[in-house]
Amino acid sequence: MSRSVAVGSPRASGHGAASTASGGGRLRQRRRRRFAGIAVLLVVLVVSCVLSVVIGAKTIPLSDVWSGLFTPTGTENDLIIRELRVPRTVVGVLAGAALGLAGALMQGHTRNPIADPGILGITQGAALAVVLAVYTFGVTTLLGFIWFGFAGALLGALAVFAIGSLGRGGPTPVALALAGAAISHLLQAITSALVISDQQTMDTYRFWKVGSVSISDPAVIPQVLPFLAVGIVLALANASSLNALSLGDDVARSLGHRVEWARRAGIAGIAILVGGTVAICGPIGFVGLIVPHVARFFTGADYRWLLPFAGLLGASLVLLADVLGRIVARPSEVQVGVMLAMVGAPLFIALVRRRKLVRL
Amino acid sequence: MTRVLDSSEKTARAVAGRRPIRLGPFSGVLRWQPLVALLGGLVVLLAFFVLNLGLGEYQISPVEVLNTLLGGGDRAQQIIVVELRLPRSLTGLLVGAALGLAGAIMQALARNPLASPDMLGITWGAGTAATAVIVLGGTAGSIAGALANYGLPLVALAGGLVTGIAVYVLAYRRGVDSFRLVLVGVGVSALAGNATYWLLTVGDVNDASRALIWLTGSLNARGWEHVIPVAIALVVLIPLTLIGTHVLGALQFDDDTVRGLGVRRDLSRGALLLASVVLASIATAAAGPIQFVALATPQIALRVARTSRPPLLTSAVLGGALVVGSDVISRTAFGGMELPVGIITAVLGAPYLIYLLVRRYREVRA
């Protein structure tokens, strides 16, 4: 179900790109390469999904995995597959795709190559809301605080963009980054104050904070799915405007783009995608930061290709990191947020060192 | 504070009505605004300091505080002011000054307001090391007490230094591009931050709470053993960095211009960065990574002094004032409960930075 969302939409956008591209050998060649890239990424994603279902704390033979998926009889292995691993895989795909897309959108709209949910106040907004929910209402289940997290993320993003766009010429990268830093620190401080004064809150917060796709209640998935779907559609619909915006607001306007609306749609997309993900999984960093850079390496600056690439790449990255986290610390596990930092940070640094990063 | 422009006489005279001041190879132009900002900051700092010594469960008036500091006062006042409150307040003052100075050097060097020790991962590196000691030391039992009391600052210092050097080495590629430095710093701090939060999930919830208090930045129970290292670092590094301002003036131009001005770019940049890393690490070792000071005070000082880059001394003074002022609030405003000072610095500093952002844009608009 989730896979069809992540996979179906890029195809649609791919056709859009194909129809607008004019002839010429080089263009055709490049297009072929991009299609090949999408195909490779799809294969990687499928392999990652299989690994995510097959590998875990308990070793389950492949035949049991198969029967657990398609002819369940209610054995312990069937339950592990159906109740734990499949939901976890679905959440991983959703979260990865959403964060990858959101990262690409964010870097495009802020023209800041290090834009990341953590820098723009979204994560901290969600964290404060979750902590408030635990602290004031004693909510401790994911199903209970997910909406708090969502609302907090939206409010955090809204505050940062509102403050960042007070200036002439709208949200400039530096203004956004400074506003983000200010809001993030403020929210983080209030969160710490609450957490320090209450041990129960601390205990819930510290496990949410590291970021994990291992959710306790699969019923969360259908609740967030519609929102993430809206976010993904908004993101992909934003692609051609982003292409124009990368030439500068004035040029975009003269090309007939409604700059303000494109920006609002993009920001709404970012907030919904990140908010939804942060609420379920906690603050998973690095996907949004690193995936667009890797994607850009293959696709160039065309957002109609960059966005689907980023979505697919993000989904695979989160799944693989999660699988790795289950392998390295057997029989326990290292949460995916931590694994992503361990894998993503060196990759990111290598990328920064290897070539001159695009200054957007 | 004087603003060093350029060693060439021509440039200095080019600003109408401003007389250049010379001292050996150094020259500058005297401007009033930065000087007023510095002196004003000092007054505010002293006021907060005296207030912090006097307020508390046992109230002492500012006059009596000054009297006690000069050797007067009764036995009780002597104990409370000199033995209990003075080291704590001094730690706050010096830590704030060190963080402000560290942030100002880095932001001026990188020409980027986000390049503060917090953003480059130095305070996070110190935090990871300290958290490891608090959380893992707890499971090791008896080592915990000894390490937490004496080893913690050392461990944090080592963590900060190692992280700072790692960031520099990783960002070095035929010279250090400031943009690359910030990006590498973002990567490293994310790594250290995640490691820290993971460590918080490993240990006992009590240890995790203690670690989080430390990670927020706290001045609780700080004594002379915390004051002295930070004081030594400041005494050594302030003069060195002030000499460095001469170079900072040149380093704010692009690399080709810097080379043209005859500044040994990598050497001076490396030395100044190292100074900044040492200051931030020692400050973090003494009081935990007090948030926002290194990031915000240089930006505040920049706008108050109206200079082209963060003024070093004013940033240090305002950093001290911010931390001591926040300590006054954290000690007195919440009844019996004492919040870690880092919470107050963030709650105070963030809206002020927002206000400055908004105000600047209003001016641009008008």
Side-chain angles (χ1 to χ4, degrees):
Chain A
M1 169 171 59
S2 62
R3 215 180 298 166
S4 70
V5 175
V7 171
S9 338
R11 283 229 181 100
S13 147
H15 283 306
S19 60
T20 48
S22 56
R26 260 180 63 203
L27 262 180
R28 204 168 298 139
Q29 201 184 350
R30 175 189 267 179
R31 206 170 62 204
R32 204 174 299 143
R33 214 182 61 206
R34 285 167 169 170
F35 271 120
I38 292 272
V40 169
L41 279 180
L42 281 175
V43 172
V44 171
L45 181 59
V46 170
V47 171
S48 313
C49 287
V50 171
L51 288 177
S52 175
V53 174
V54 171
I55 297 175
K58 188 182 180 201
T59 314
I60 298 178
L62 277 177
S63 58
D64 280 21
V65 173
W66 187 263
S67 66
L69 281 176
F70 300 104
T71 51
T73 51
T75 60
E76 192 196 334
N77 282 352
D78 285 0
L79 281 177
I80 290 176
I81 296 286
R82 296 184 75 84
E83 301 291 318
L84 296 175
R85 294 208 188 149
V86 170
R88 186 170 183 162
T89 306
V90 172
V91 170
V93 171
L94 284 176
L99 290 173
L101 282 171
L105 280 187
M106 207 175 271
Q107 292 180 6
H109 277 290
T110 61
R111 293 210 202 124
N112 179 350
I114 57 168
D116 177 78
I119 296 174
L120 292 183
I122 298 173
T123 306
Q124 278 77 10
L128 178 57
V130 165
V131 164
L132 265 178
V134 180
Y135 186 80
T136 46
F137 303 112
V139 183
T140 49
T141 61
L142 185 60
L143 214 52
F145 61 60
I146 183 166
W147 300 114
F148 286 91
F150 210 157
L154 296 186
L155 288 177
L158 210 63
V160 169
F161 278 103
I163 292 166
S165 19
L166 281 169
R168 206 176 42 159
T172 66
V174 172
L176 274 179
L178 276 173
I183 294 280
S184 297
H185 277 86
L186 186 64
L187 297 176
Q188 175 70 50
I190 302 170
T191 307
S192 297
L194 290 175
V195 169
I196 285 167
S197 56
D198 184 56
Q199 206 138 71
Q200 167 72 52
T201 312
M202 169 79 202
D203 215 19
T204 311
Y205 170 76
R206 62 177 177 151
F207 286 103
W208 178 83
K209 175 75 192 171
V210 284
S212 171
V213 288
S214 152
I215 54 166
S216 52
D217 191 348
V220 170
I221 297 171
Q223 289 203 21
V224 218
L225 199 60
F227 289 93
L228 291 183
V230 169
I232 289 171
V233 169
L234 266 179
L236 294 172
N238 216 219
S240 67
S241 301
L242 268 176
N243 277 348
L245 281 173
S246 65
L247 302 169
D249 287 8
D250 292 337
V251 178
R253 211 167 275 128
S254 70
L255 287 172
H257 283 271
R258 298 173 69 180
V259 172
E260 280 72 27
W261 279 103
R263 194 142 271 158
R264 273 177 211 146
I267 290 164
I270 294 166
I272 292 171
L273 288 171
V274 178
T277 316
V278 171
I280 333 173
C281 308
I284 297 180
F286 261 105
V287 184
L289 183 68
I290 196 167
V291 154
H293 289 292
V294 179
R296 201 173 284 118
F297 190 72
F298 291 106
T299 63
D302 187 344
Y303 279 92
R304 289 170 308 182
W305 286 93
L306 180 59
L307 285 172
F309 259 75
L312 290 174
L313 212 57
S316 309
L317 184 64
V318 167
L319 283 181
L320 290 176
D322 188 41
V323 171
L324 203 60
R326 288 181 240 171
I327 295 174
V328 292
R330 270 185 156 167
S332 159
E333 63 176 56
V334 177
Q335 292 85 347
V336 69
V338 180
M339 280 318 292
L340 275 169
M342 299 297 159
V343 179
L347 210 66
F348 177 69
I349 291 169
L351 194 76
V352 170
R353 281 178 57 82
R354 231 181 79 95
R355 51 201 287 271
K356 233 182 157 86
L357 272 176
V358 240
R359 302 194 184 204
L360 297 161
Chain B
M1 188 183 155
T2 55
R3 174 165 170 255
V4 182
L5 273 177
D6 194 305
S7 50
S8 96
E9 201 175 335
K10 215 168 154 191
T11 318
R13 281 223 178 116
V15 185
R18 285 184 189 145
R19 286 172 51 84
I21 298 170
R22 309 191 164 284
L23 190 76
F26 304 109
S27 68
V29 177
L30 184 68
R31 289 179 60 214
W32 288 112
Q33 187 102 28
L35 201 64
V36 170
L38 178 63
L39 293 177
L42 272 176
V43 170
V44 174
L45 172 60
L46 282 178
F48 281 149
F49 191 66
V50 171
L51 208 61
N52 202 21
L53 292 181
L55 289 179
E57 217 162 286
Y58 184 90
Q59 301 266 359
I60 304 167
S61 77
V63 179
E64 281 175 310
V65 167
L66 290 174
N67 185 27
T68 313
L69 283 179
L70 295 171
D74 56 38
R75 184 83 193 108
Q77 287 177 342
Q78 279 287 342
I79 289 177
I80 287 171
V81 171
V82 179
E83 286 174 31
L84 294 178
R85 291 184 190 162
L86 187 60
R88 177 190 176 132
S89 282
L90 268 181
T91 308
L93 189 158
L94 295 172
V95 161
L99 286 175
L101 185 57
I105 296 171
M106 231 172 235
Q107 294 182 4
L109 266 183
R111 289 167 295 194
N112 188 331
L114 287 177
S116 76
D118 328 38
M119 288 295 283
L120 292 193
I122 289 144
T123 47
W124 270 117
T128 309
T131 309
V133 168
I134 296 175
V135 172
L136 303 177
T139 54
S142 59
I143 316 165
L147 261 182
N149 285 334
Y150 303 103
L152 199 56
L154 277 181
V155 169
L157 177 62
L161 282 175
V162 166
T163 315
I165 292 166
V167 170
Y168 186 80
V169 169
L170 286 172
Y172 192 93
R173 197 173 171 233
R174 277 176 277 139
V176 170
D177 173 48
S178 73
F179 188 70
R180 194 164 59 227
L181 188 73
V182 173
L183 286 181
V184 170
V186 167
V188 170
S189 48
L191 195 59
N194 274 288
T196 306
Y197 280 110
W198 178 70
L199 282 170
L200 286 182
T201 67
V202 171
D204 173 67
V205 71
N206 288 309
D207 288 330
S209 287
R210 262 189 337 120
L212 195 68
I213 291 177
W214 191 89
L215 282 172
T216 313
S218 168
L219 288 173
N220 197 16
R222 292 303 188 269
W224 291 105
E225 73 274 19
H226 298 99
V227 174
I228 291 162
V230 192
I232 292 173
L234 280 172
V235 166
V236 174
L237 291 174
I238 284 182
L240 284 181
T241 50
L242 286 184
I243 295 172
T245 47
H246 185 61
V247 188
L248 271 180
L251 284 182
Q252 65 181 325
F253 298 111
D254 64 85
D255 289 351
D256 291 336
T257 318
V258 172
R259 227 169 280 126
L261 286 169
V263 170
R264 295 173 68 184
R265 185 191 53 158
D266 286 338
L267 183 72
S268 32
R269 199 176 271 177
L272 279 168
L273 272 179
L274 186 66
S276 172
V277 169
V278 169
L279 283 167
S281 304
I282 289 188
T284 308
I290 298 184
Q291 290 168 29
F292 217 72
V293 181
L295 182 75
T297 41
Q299 289 300 309
I300 294 170
L302 178 78
R303 285 168 173 85
V304 177
R306 291 172 191 268
T307 46
S308 60
R309 59 176 186 279
L312 300 186
L313 274 184
T314 312
S315 300
V317 167
L318 288 183
L322 179 57
V323 173
V324 176
S326 303
D327 195 34
V328 174
I329 297 174
S330 83
R331 286 177 54 233
T332 55
F334 304 96
M337 195 180 131
E338 191 180 282
L339 280 178
V341 68
I343 289 175
I344 312 292
T345 55
V347 171
L348 282 181
Y352 188 61
L353 184 60
I354 293 169
Y355 159 76
L356 286 173
L357 277 168
V358 173
R359 207 190 63 166
R360 203 189 62 180
Y361 286 119
R362 289 257 166 78
E363 278 169 7
V364 172
R365 244 188 215 166

